[in-house]
């Protein structure tokens, strides 16, 4: 039986890449992915984080989808890759609601990760073996081998033992034979062998029995329900992220003009020393970032203008490299005092994108700049995909602009946020583009971070960005790096800051066993690295710290227990038909853990499914100052290293079928996450 099927929807790489369309697609197919996610995680909070990150990743990587397979299979591959990244450990991962469904995943959690993934995709989700092999990036034969070893492992752990002596050369036929996909001549030979081989008969019979038991258990997932508010919580987080992305940057103050006499002197000198273009653009270009590109001869002014319904768009310049195509523009409302901006995910389309652009990359996001001096003029930039060839003409069509409304009642520009209306029209441009070269420099730095091997192996210097390539190898199951934050790079004694709006994303150049990433920094502008120093900021760790706490419903609550050097309170509450268990620890100063992963165990040693969990937390900066979660715009924009400490977790249960509350037998904690600030500055050799 195939219990679940993921439906395709016509989202394609050449669509408008609307985040809403991706969210809607997930909303329609959430049941299948919800079940798939529970094969990796054990808490509702983790599942919300998983969906949140997958949707953002799909939104970023959608242009890389080349239709070599169906959209849903590609997206499932992204989902599994993200699940692997977020998965904290290899402990049991079970459902919160369905007891039978708990049995399925409790059984599968005993397997190796590669076996479990093959079993879940094939027998729980119901994807074909060919598509499952594509998703897991393995051959069909390897897929069959994983299914075989997975079922055999379940047989051993189900009390059958490991004494079966079936002929090893026939093992490779079991999956196809039981799945009725074995070629007829091979099937006849195999059945003839079975007739004469008692060992193979016993081996195959018990193998089939375990396989059928597994399939019977998977039938229960059809009734597995996604909580009604699950996607709403994910959508709320996405909306909050969009809100934060609209935070304004500080307005760069204009430089004063030199006196006419000084201009004449420098003008004369400039023709002989090469300073002229540098000085000229210093005086004539307001946009600080565009000015730097012009001064380094990486761009030239275009000033292409189009007007529609009283709104004029000017394409000021374009800078292209292998990372992105960056377009600087100005928008003027010629009738009213409105500021408009482009959103390259809505209303901006490159009509010849498939022909001239590299769909294997994806555009970067840049937040709106501060443009307050002229109420009807906005200057900004958008990132498009990089060109395939060294030059080309971009056919850009703009049909919608976003109106930015400033909150003039708030004097702090960092806490202002945009509220958008729209201006519709049609502005079409043909933009000539020549791509500037990027340069890669091999680096040679191997070190340890928190005892974990770390290597920094490449620096890419492009006109629009500087990229550091690095990887770490989590070989110790008791401590793992989740991700690393960098403060800045210092190249030839010039500091380039980390770009917080692009940050880090997975790389695929470090080799097997390594978690590989790229981190984006500001441009270096033709700087050839001779001396490179890397300034670390913080490292986010998973610490394996197993502990069980016995619980007794007859005792008086609240009670407390010690974990990771802290005292945690555990209490119970009743609210109508719901019972709550409350875990709390409001003491965050010098606390080792920020959050921990746990589950409750019933009398029969099975995981106790909860009905939901509410979480409270506080935000601390590096100096220990706390911030209000309801007013985080200021903190997020001003502070680059924050810690999120969970203080209260409310876990709710309903009555069981007999009308009684079931109180857990024990609390099982698997480990915790923590942030460690790192002030290391390391020198990296340039090969």
């Amino acid at each position: 039986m195939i219990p679940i099927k993921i439906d395709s929807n016509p989202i394609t790489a050449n669509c408008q890449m609307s985040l809403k369309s991706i969210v809607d697609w997930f909303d329609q197919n959430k049941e299948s992915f919800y079940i798939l996610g529970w094969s990796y995680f054990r808490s509702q909070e983790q599942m919300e984080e998983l969906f949140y990150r997958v949707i953002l990743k799909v939104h970023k990587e959608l242009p890389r989808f080349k239709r070599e397979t169906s959209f849903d299979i590609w997206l499932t591959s992204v989902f599994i890759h993200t699940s692997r990244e977020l998965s904290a450990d290899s402990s049991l991962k079970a459902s919160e609601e369905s007891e039978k469904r708990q049995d399925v995943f409790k059984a599968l959690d005993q397997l190796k990760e590669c076996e479990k993934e093959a079993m879940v995709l094939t027998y729980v989700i119901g994807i074909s073996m060919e598509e499952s092999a594509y998703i897991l990036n393995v051959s069909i034969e390897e897929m069959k081998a994983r299914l075989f070893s997975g079922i055999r492992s379940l047989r051993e752990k189900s009390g059958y033992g490991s004494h079966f002596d079936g002929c090893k050369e026939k093992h490779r036929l079991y999956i196809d034979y039981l799945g009725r996909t074995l070629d007829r001549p091979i099937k006849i030979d195999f059945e003839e062998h079975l007739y004469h081989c008692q060992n193979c008969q016993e081996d195959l019979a018990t193998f089939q029995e375990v396989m059928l038991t597994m399939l019977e258990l998977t039938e229960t997932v059809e009734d597995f329900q996604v909580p009604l508010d699950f996607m709403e919580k994910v959508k709320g987080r996405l909306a909050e992220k969009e809100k934060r992305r609209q935070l304004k940057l500080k307005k760069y103050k204009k430089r004063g003009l030199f006196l006419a006499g000084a201009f004449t002197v420098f003008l004369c000198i400039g023709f002989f020393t090469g300073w002229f273009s540098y000085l000229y653009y210093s005086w004539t270009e307001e946009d600080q970032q565009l000015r730097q590109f012009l001064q380094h001869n990486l761009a030239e002014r275009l000033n292409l203008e189009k007007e529609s319904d009283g709104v004029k768009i000017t394409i000021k310049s374009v800078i292209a490299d292998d990372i992105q195509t960056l377009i600087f523009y100005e928008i003027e409302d010629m009738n009213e005092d409105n500021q408009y901006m482009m959103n390259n995910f809505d209303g901006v389309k490159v009509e010849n994108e498939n022909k001239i652009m590299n769909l294997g990359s994806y555009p970067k996001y840049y937040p709106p700049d501060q443009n307050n001096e002229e109420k009807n003029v906005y200057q900004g930039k958008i990132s498009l995909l990089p060109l395939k060839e060294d030059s080309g003409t971009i056919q850009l069509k703009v049909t919608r602009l976003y109106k930015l409304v400033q909150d003039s009642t708030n004097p702090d520009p960092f806490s202002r946020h945009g509220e958008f209306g729209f201006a519709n029209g049609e502005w079409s441009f043909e933009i000539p583009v020549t791509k500037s070269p990027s340069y890669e420099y091999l680096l040679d730095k191997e070190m340890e971070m928190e005892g974990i091997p770390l290597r920094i192996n490449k620096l890419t210097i492009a006109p629009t960005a500087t990229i550091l390539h690095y990887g770490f190898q989590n070989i110790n199951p008791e401590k793992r790096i989740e991700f690393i934050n960098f403060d800045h790079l210092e190249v030839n004694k010039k500091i380039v800051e980390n770009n917080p709006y692009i940050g880090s994303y997975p790389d695929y150049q470090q080799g097997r066993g390594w978690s590989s990433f790229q981190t984006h920094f500001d441009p270096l502008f033709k700087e050839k690295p001779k001396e490179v120093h890397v300034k670390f900021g913080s490292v986010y760790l998973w610490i394996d710290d197993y502990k069980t706490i016995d619980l007794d419903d007859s005792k008086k609550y609240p009670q407390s227990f010690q974990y990771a050097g802290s005292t945690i309170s555990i209490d119970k509450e009743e609210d109508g038909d719901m019972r709550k268990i409350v875990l709390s620890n409001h003491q965050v100063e010098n606390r080792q853990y920020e959050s921990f992963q746990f589950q409750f165990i019933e009398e029969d040693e099975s995981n106790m499914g909860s009905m939901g969990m509410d979480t409270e937390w506080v935000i601390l900066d590096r100096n220990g100052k706390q911030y209000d979660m309801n007013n985080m715009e200021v903190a997020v924009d001003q502070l680059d290293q924050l810690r999120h400490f969970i203080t209260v977790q409310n876990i709710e249960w309903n009555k069981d079928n007999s009308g009684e509350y079931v109180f857990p037998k024990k609390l099982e904690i698997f480990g915790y996450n923590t942030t460690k600030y790192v002030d290391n500055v390391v020198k990296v050799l340039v090969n």
Side-chain angles (χ1 to χ4, degrees):
M1 175 182 181
I2 298 178
I4 300 292
K5 277 291 186 183
I6 300 173
D7 297 325
S8 286
N9 225 18
I11 299 180
T12 61
N14 62 356
C15 72
Q16 293 293 328
M17 290 175 43
S18 166
L19 183 63
K20 182 179 182 302
S21 65
I22 297 173
V23 173
D24 290 344
W25 192 93
F26 267 99
D27 208 359
Q28 295 172 12
N29 296 277
K30 58 181 176 289
E31 289 82 6
S32 299
F33 286 101
Y34 191 75
I35 292 170
L36 179 57
W38 276 116
S39 68
Y40 292 92
F41 301 106
R42 64 177 61 84
S43 76
Q44 190 75 5
E45 184 181 21
Q46 290 174 312
M47 289 295 295
E48 292 172 10
E49 178 70 16
L50 173 62
F51 270 66
Y52 170 75
R53 293 202 185 186
V54 168
I55 290 171
L56 291 178
K57 182 171 287 189
V58 170
H59 188 219
K60 282 186 175 182
E61 296 188 1
L62 187 58
R64 303 172 65 179
F65 172 53
K66 297 182 178 180
R67 305 183 190 180
E68 295 175 355
T69 184
S70 61
F71 173 76
D72 52 308
I73 295 302
W74 172 79
L75 192 145
T76 305
S77 179
V78 175
F79 190 93
I80 287 179
H81 182 75
T82 307
S83 298
R84 289 172 177 172
E85 292 177 350
L86 294 181
S87 181
D89 63 1
S90 58
S91 302
L92 296 178
K93 300 175 178 65
S95 166
E96 290 188 345
E97 297 184 14
S98 171
E99 183 68 24
K100 291 184 178 180
R101 189 260 175 199
Q102 293 167 13
D103 292 339
V104 173
F105 284 93
K106 185 172 182 179
L108 292 177
D109 284 332
Q110 302 175 81
L111 305 180
K112 298 177 182 177
E113 183 174 291
C114 62
E115 297 171 343
K116 181 175 70 173
E117 289 178 338
M119 298 277 283
V120 170
L121 287 176
T122 304
Y123 299 130
V124 179
I125 303 301
I127 299 175
S128 71
M129 193 174 301
E130 291 76 12
E131 291 174 329
S132 297
Y134 178 90
I135 290 171
L136 298 177
N137 195 27
V138 298
S139 65
I140 298 294
E141 292 305 315
E142 174 62 21
M143 187 70 186
K144 295 176 184 177
R146 293 183 180 186
L147 291 172
F148 172 82
S149 63
I151 295 174
R152 188 170 61 176
S153 296
L154 287 178
R155 181 176 65 182
E156 293 177 3
K157 297 177 184 299
S158 300
Y160 288 92
S162 57
H163 62 278
F164 298 97
D165 298 320
C167 301
K168 292 184 178 180
E169 66 272 14
K170 300 299 181 182
H171 287 171
R172 62 183 180 83
L173 304 177
Y174 283 17
I175 297 298
D176 282 336
Y177 181 75
L178 295 176
R180 300 181 180 181
T181 59
L182 202 61
D183 291 341
R184 180 172 176 77
I186 301 176
K187 177 176 179 290
I188 293 174
D189 289 342
F190 181 52
E191 290 178 340
E192 183 178 351
H193 173 81
L194 284 174
Y195 182 79
H196 296 287
C197 182
Q198 183 67 27
N199 288 338
C200 282
Q201 290 177 22
E202 295 177 357
D203 189 20
L204 182 63
T206 54
F207 187 92
Q208 183 180 27
E209 185 175 344
V210 172
M211 185 175 179
L212 292 174
T213 301
M214 178 66 199
L215 292 175
E216 289 176 0
L217 288 175
T218 62
E219 293 180 2
T220 62
V221 303
E222 290 182 333
D223 300 323
F224 192 57
Q225 299 296 317
V226 181
L228 295 177
D229 63 345
F230 177 77
M231 285 303 297
E232 294 306 316
K233 291 182 178 179
V234 176
K235 292 176 183 179
R237 288 194 61 188
L238 292 167
E240 181 64 22
K241 179 177 177 64
E242 178 64 21
K243 176 182 176 182
R244 293 179 181 179
R245 288 171 64 185
Q246 310 311 323
L247 297 174
K248 307 301 179 293
L249 301 176
K250 288 183 178 180
K251 176 70 174 177
Y252 182 81
K253 296 182 179 180
K254 296 181 180 179
R255 297 183 178 182
L257 296 176
F258 284 103
L259 296 175
F263 175 81
T264 304
V265 173
F266 282 109
L267 181 62
C268 294
I269 296 174
F271 282 116
F272 296 101
T273 63
W275 291 357
F276 176 71
S277 61
Y278 188 90
L279 295 172
Y280 173 75
Y281 291 122
S282 296
W283 299 326
T284 61
E285 179 54 57
E286 293 183 18
D287 191 309
Q288 178 193 10
Q289 295 185 35
L290 176 56
R291 182 192 309 134
Q292 294 179 11
F293 289 114
L294 293 169
Q295 289 171 335
H296 288 86
N297 296 319
L298 293 170
E300 61 181 26
R301 282 178 168 158
L302 297 176
N303 293 329
L304 305 176
E305 297 181 356
K306 293 290 182 179
E307 182 183 341
S308 178
D309 293 333
V311 177
K312 182 175 68 174
I313 298 178
T314 301
I315 303 298
K316 299 177 65 176
S317 189
V318 58
I319 301 94
D321 55 26
D322 291 325
I323 309 302
Q324 62 186 322
T325 302
L326 200 57
I327 293 180
F328 286 84
Y329 65 87
E330 179 180 283
I331 301 177
E332 179 183 0
D333 187 341
M334 305 178 70
N335 298 326
E336 300 181 25
D337 287 340
N338 294 318
Q339 287 186 334
Y340 292 102
M341 59 174 286
M342 293 188 197
N343 179 354
N344 55 338
F345 299 124
D346 184 18
V348 177
K349 180 179 181 181
V350 178
E351 296 190 301
N352 57 341
E353 181 180 74
N354 292 338
K355 181 178 179 181
I356 71 167
M357 291 189 156
N358 178 12
L359 302 182
S361 183
Y362 55 87
K364 310 300 184 290
Y365 173 79
Y366 293 94
D369 294 325
Q370 296 273 349
N371 289 276
N372 298 324
E373 293 191 4
E374 297 183 72
K375 295 182 179 180
N376 66 326
V377 176
Y378 179 84
Q379 295 180 350
K381 60 183 179 291
I382 58 170
S383 171
L384 304 177
L385 298 174
L387 296 180
K388 292 180 182 178
E389 307 296 337
D390 291 337
S391 62
T393 299
I394 297 175
Q395 297 173 0
L396 183 69
K397 185 176 182 179
V398 182
T399 56
R400 167 174 284 189
L401 301 173
Y402 279 56
K403 183 170 70 173
L404 180 60
V405 180
Q406 298 289 345
D407 180 6
S408 59
T409 63
N410 193 330
D412 187 346
F414 286 100
S415 65
R416 297 177 190 168
H417 58 274
E419 299 176 359
F420 292 104
F422 302 104
N424 297 316
E426 184 171 323
W427 301 263
S428 297
F429 300 91
E430 291 195 357
I431 307 172
V433 183
T434 299
K435 189 163 62 174
S436 298
S438 302
Y439 300 95
E440 295 184 350
Y441 299 92
L442 296 180
L443 305 179
D444 185 14
K445 183 63 179 180
E446 295 188 0
M447 56 182 291
E448 288 189 351
M449 177 74 66
E450 293 293 319
I452 297 169
L454 169 68
R455 63 189 183 194
I456 302 172
N457 65 336
K458 190 169 68 174
L459 186 70
T460 299
I461 297 181
T464 64
T466 304
I467 303 176
L468 184 70
H469 304 256
Y470 68 97
F472 47 82
Q473 190 177 34
N474 285 314
I475 57 178
N476 180 5
E478 296 182 357
K479 179 191 288 187
R480 296 208 310 272
I481 293 177
E482 301 280 288
F483 57 83
I484 296 173
N485 288 320
F486 294 90
D487 188 84
H488 65 259
L489 297 179
E490 183 177 335
V491 181
N492 302 344
K493 298 184 178 180
K494 178 180 179 181
I495 291 179
V496 285
E497 301 290 345
N498 181 12
N499 189 326
Y501 294 99
I502 298 177
S504 299
Y505 57 89
D507 199 353
Y508 304 97
Q509 302 181 18
Q510 296 280 344
R512 294 178 63 86
W514 287 81
S515 300
S516 308
F517 292 89
Q518 302 178 12
T519 296
H520 280 236
F521 297 82
D522 292 337
L524 273 169
F525 299 111
K526 297 184 177 180
E527 193 86 23
K528 183 176 181 180
K530 298 177 182 178
E531 184 176 316
V532 177
H533 291 83
V534 178
K535 174 68 163 62
F536 291 89
S538 63
V539 57
Y540 190 65
L541 298 168
W542 161 260
I543 306 298
D544 190 89
D545 188 4
Y546 185 82
K547 184 181 180 71
T548 59
I549 298 92
D550 293 330
L551 304 176
D552 187 344
D553 194 23
S554 64
K555 292 185 177 180
K556 185 177 180 181
Y557 284 82
Q559 297 185 14
S560 63
F561 62 90
Q562 298 294 315
Y563 181 72
S566 295
T567 300
I568 300 174
S569 171
I570 181 168
D571 200 0
K572 60 180 183 179
E573 301 176 0
E574 291 189 20
D575 183 11
D577 290 334
M578 298 294 295
R579 171 170 286 191
K580 290 183 181 180
I581 291 182
V582 182
L583 301 175
S584 62
N585 178 13
H586 294 276
Q587 181 61 40
V588 296
E589 184 177 359
N590 299 322
R591 199 171 90 180
Q592 291 185 38
Y593 73 91
E594 294 171 32
S595 63
F596 58 82
Q597 296 182 14
F598 65 93
Q599 67 179 6
F600 288 102
I601 303 299
E602 294 187 17
E603 287 289 340
D604 61 358
E605 297 296 328
S606 65
N607 169 263
M608 188 173 186
S610 72
M611 295 301 297
M613 175 165 33
D614 292 326
T615 302
E616 300 175 17
W617 63 88
V618 297
I619 305 297
L620 268 68
D621 65 14
R622 184 166 186 164
N623 298 318
K625 181 180 178 181
Q626 292 192 24
Y627 291 86
D628 183 2
M629 277 300 301
N630 296 319
N631 188 27
M632 277 306 299
E633 290 89 346
V634 175
V636 168
D637 196 73
Q638 291 179 331
L639 304 173
D640 53 7
Q641 295 183 30
L642 300 173
R643 302 184 69 184
H644 299 67
F645 286 88
I646 291 181
T647 55
V648 179
Q649 291 173 287
N650 295 285
I651 304 94
E652 299 179 347
W653 279 273
N654 275 327
K655 295 179 180 179
D656 63 12
N657 294 333
S658 64
E660 300 294 330
Y661 289 114
V662 178
F663 194 76
K665 173 184 177 182
K666 61 183 177 181
L667 169 65
E668 189 175 30
I669 301 178
F670 301 97
Y672 61 87
N673 288 107
T674 187
T675 298
K676 290 195 174 182
Y677 294 110
V678 184
D679 292 320
N680 296 15
V681 178
V682 299
K683 183 177 181 179
V684 182
L685 297 179
V686 181
N687 292 335

